[in-house]
Amino acid sequence: MKLLTGFIFWVVLSVAGGAAGDVVHLKDGTTLEGDVKKTPDGWVVRQADGTLTPVQAGDIGSIELKGVSPSPDRALATNFTSLRRAIDNSIDPKQAIERYQRFIDQNPQTPQVEEARKEIGIWQDRQARNLVKWQTQWLTADEVKQRIQSATDRAEEARQLLKQGRVKEADAILAKVLADDPANPTAMYLHGVALYRQEQLGPAKKQFETLAGILKDHAPTLNNAAVVLWRQKRYPESLNFFDQAMVASPKNKTILSNVAEALNELPDNQRSGQVVQKITRHFNEQDNELQTELSAAGWYRWGATWVNQQQLDDLRARQKEIDTKLSAMAQEFDATRQRIDRMDRDIDDTERSVRRIEAASYARDLNGNLVRIAFPPLYYELQDDANRQRALRASELTKLDALRNGAAAMKQQGPTPKFTGIQRIIDVEGTPMLKLPTPVLSTAPATQPTTMPAPTTTASSQPATSPGGD
């Protein structure tokens, strides 16, 4: 119905064109006067001073076109309808009462006065009872508290189920919470975790990205959005969320380990971008500080993981043992290479001697004919010696290959920094918890109460039994 109404309005306005003196009544109660023209994105109003003001179709309550002369009663009814629509979105009873009273003062003795007074009565009742607008309802502070407490209890039940691995049961509860309160950050976060655990990456991404727009600096949400995007191979977007997560929670072990995995795994053709350079700089700055702090407590970075002093000593001892073996293998490799070089020279010398004997074995008989005389015993001794040298050389080459392969295998056994290729979401421990909103007083500036998270401790950057939960 709204689409049809909008279409008819567009048609009428397109036919009418722009006309000086058109009045646009916005849903917030304000008006714009000037030439009204349709644009691809909505409408634009050219005011008398030449100012162009774009207006979205959804923001327009009504329009009075030049040349259309509605009756005063009809115009007043239209204006009152627009006023009531705008005030309905208000959350400040005092402001609503004042606006209705102004309408009454400006339009006495009109049919709408009685309706305005009824509306004032409704808003005065809300003011007297100190009601708070909650979602689409007006409730007392106690009722709001009960709603939040109920949502908190149900969300906590779902959180415990998730901790037990009962994902589908938890998700069913969260669906009911979100049906009552779609912007509930606790339920949204846990729902994202549940979706991720069920490998529903697309919905999980949407949930975390939506929540990131509500909780601007909630590091677990930003981290989780980044992890999901990385799994979808949307690397630049993922790195952008990781960078925001590092800013929101500096030196967070889980986030930094995820970034270490990302930078290690990032395709070569995407390493030169500005986003990568920025996140690498932020990672190095924070990780160096974190390493300094954790080393005092006996923890040390090893790739994307952390090891304690004993593990580090074992790794270093293992590396020293391997380095010693590799050094011995390198010496043997060089000695074998030198023997092969000597054999090559000896074989060359022997082959030259054989060729000299062969060249000297030709002579001419009494008739002047070229004849070949018998080779001396030395010729055959030299050939045997060359064959032995070649056999020994082949054996040394085989040994050389074995040393080369052995060294490569030995290096692979070394304690190289550990990267798993897996990034971790911050699970239920990162859940933002609800707190009660501050009621809107009728004498205070209007602010929309909402379910915002209380500060929570996520993955701390302080030393733990095992950094990063490894």
Side-chain angles (χ1 to χ4, degrees):
M1 184 63 184
K2 289 182 179 179
L3 290 175
L4 179 58
T5 303
F7 175 75
I8 294 172
F9 177 70
W10 291 355
V11 170
V12 171
L13 195 57
S14 297
V15 172
D22 297 341
V23 180
V24 179
H25 298 276
L26 301 180
K27 291 180 180 178
D28 63 3
T30 60
T31 60
L32 295 171
E33 185 171 354
D35 293 343
V36 180
K37 291 185 179 295
K38 182 179 181 300
T39 69
D41 297 325
W43 310 91
V44 65
V45 180
R46 180 187 294 275
Q47 295 171 279
D49 61 359
T51 302
L52 296 178
T53 304
V55 182
Q56 298 293 323
D59 296 334
I60 297 175
S62 64
I63 291 184
E64 297 177 36
L65 297 176
K66 183 179 179 181
V68 177
S69 301
S71 65
D73 290 345
R74 183 174 180 182
L76 185 62
T78 300
N79 291 343
F80 181 75
T81 300
S82 298
L83 175 65
R84 181 158 52 187
R85 186 183 298 115
I87 294 178
D88 281 345
N89 295 321
S90 176
I91 59 174
D92 184 356
K94 181 176 181 291
Q95 182 186 79
I97 293 169
E98 290 175 350
R99 293 182 67 180
Y100 275 122
Q101 188 59 53
R102 271 200 308 272
F103 180 87
I104 293 173
D105 294 341
Q106 295 170 1
N107 302 279
Q109 307 300 320
T110 61
Q112 286 74 31
V113 167
E114 187 61 32
E115 293 183 59
R117 286 173 178 162
K118 290 180 181 178
E119 292 292 334
I120 287 177
I122 293 172
W123 284 95
Q124 286 176 334
D125 177 66
R126 292 169 179 170
Q127 185 181 46
R129 295 165 60 194
N130 287 321
L131 299 185
V132 176
K133 192 170 186 180
W134 182 257
Q135 304 300 326
T136 59
Q137 296 177 291
W138 286 86
L139 307 173
T140 65
D142 286 341
E143 289 172 330
V144 172
K145 183 177 180 180
Q146 292 173 4
R147 295 285 183 95
I148 294 179
Q149 189 61 55
S150 175
T152 301
D153 292 343
R154 287 184 292 168
E156 177 59 23
E157 182 183 355
R159 195 170 78 91
Q160 293 302 323
L161 288 171
L162 283 173
K163 290 173 68 175
Q164 298 169 25
R166 298 160 66 180
V167 180
K168 292 186 177 179
E169 295 175 62
D171 216 15
I173 294 174
L174 294 170
K176 294 179 181 178
V177 176
L178 290 171
D180 294 337
D181 186 0
N184 183 300
T186 302
M188 290 176 70
Y189 185 90
L190 293 172
H191 185 49
V193 170
L195 291 169
Y196 182 82
R197 288 204 200 171
Q198 297 174 83
E199 290 296 314
Q200 298 183 42
L201 299 184
K205 165 188 161 297
K206 182 178 180 181
Q207 192 73 86
F208 287 127
E209 285 184 333
T210 302
L211 183 55
I214 298 174
L215 308 181
K216 300 297 184 182
D217 297 314
H218 189 241
T221 297
L222 296 167
N223 172 82
N224 294 357
V227 171
V228 176
L229 285 163
W230 189 271
R231 288 194 57 189
Q232 293 179 322
K233 301 188 183 303
R234 298 169 65 170
Y235 302 128
E237 296 172 76
S238 173
L239 290 175
N240 182 53
F241 271 104
F242 273 134
D243 194 46
Q244 293 180 59
M246 286 194 294
V247 172
S249 181
K251 297 182 290 185
N252 182 301
K253 293 184 292 293
T254 300
I255 295 171
L256 289 179
S257 293
N258 282 339
V259 175
E261 291 282 7
L263 294 177
N264 179 69
E265 190 181 350
L266 188 67
D268 291 338
N269 62 356
Q270 298 193 35
R271 291 183 176 273
S272 59
Q274 292 184 352
V275 173
V276 177
Q277 294 175 11
K278 182 177 71 170
I279 196 173
T280 300
R281 183 175 66 256
H282 289 172
F283 169 78
N284 289 335
E285 290 171 354
Q286 293 192 17
D287 198 60
N288 288 338
E289 291 183 20
L290 183 60
Q291 289 188 52
T292 299
E293 293 177 7
L294 292 185
S295 63
W299 288 100
Y300 307 89
R301 178 168 288 289
W302 191 253
T305 62
W306 295 86
V307 295
N308 59 31
Q309 185 66 60
Q310 181 60 52
Q311 291 171 321
L312 184 64
D313 291 342
D314 292 343
L315 290 167
R316 287 173 173 171
R318 175 61 178 159
Q319 186 62 58
K320 184 176 180 180
E321 177 186 351
I322 289 176
D323 288 343
T324 300
K325 292 180 179 179
L326 287 172
S327 178
M329 294 174 73
Q331 293 177 2
E332 188 175 357
F333 185 92
D334 291 340
T336 302
R337 183 74 263 179
Q338 291 174 4
R339 288 195 297 273
I340 291 174
D341 291 341
R342 286 197 299 271
M343 290 177 185
D344 288 339
R345 290 193 296 271
D346 290 344
I347 291 172
D348 287 342
D349 290 343
T350 301
E351 288 180 343
R352 280 195 295 271
S353 297
V354 168
R355 287 194 294 272
R356 282 196 296 271
I357 294 174
E358 290 175 343
S361 65
Y362 292 93
R364 294 188 181 278
D365 59 14
L366 295 175
N367 296 323
N369 296 320
L370 191 64
V371 296
R372 191 167 194 175
I373 61 177
F375 295 132
L378 178 60
Y379 176 82
Y380 298 104
E381 292 174 4
L382 290 172
Q383 280 193 326
D384 290 342
D385 183 58
N387 289 333
R388 283 194 299 272
Q389 292 282 357
R390 292 189 185 96
L392 287 172
R393 183 180 185 279
S395 176
E396 292 295 317
L397 284 175
T398 300
K399 184 177 181 180
L400 203 64
D401 288 338
L403 286 169
R404 186 181 292 110
N405 294 334
M410 184 68 66
K411 289 178 180 178
Q412 291 180 351
Q413 296 174 15
T416 56
K418 184 179 180 182
F419 292 94
T420 64
I422 298 174
Q423 297 165 340
R424 298 179 178 179
I425 65 167
I426 297 176
D427 210 86
V428 296
E429 69 274 10
T431 307
M433 303 307 293
L434 293 176
K435 67 177 181 180
L436 289 177
T438 301
V440 178
L441 301 178
S442 60
T443 57
T447 54
Q448 175 66 52
T450 184
T451 53
M452 294 301 292
T456 58
T457 300
T458 57
S460 170
S461 61
Q462 297 303 312
T465 304
S466 177
D470 293 330

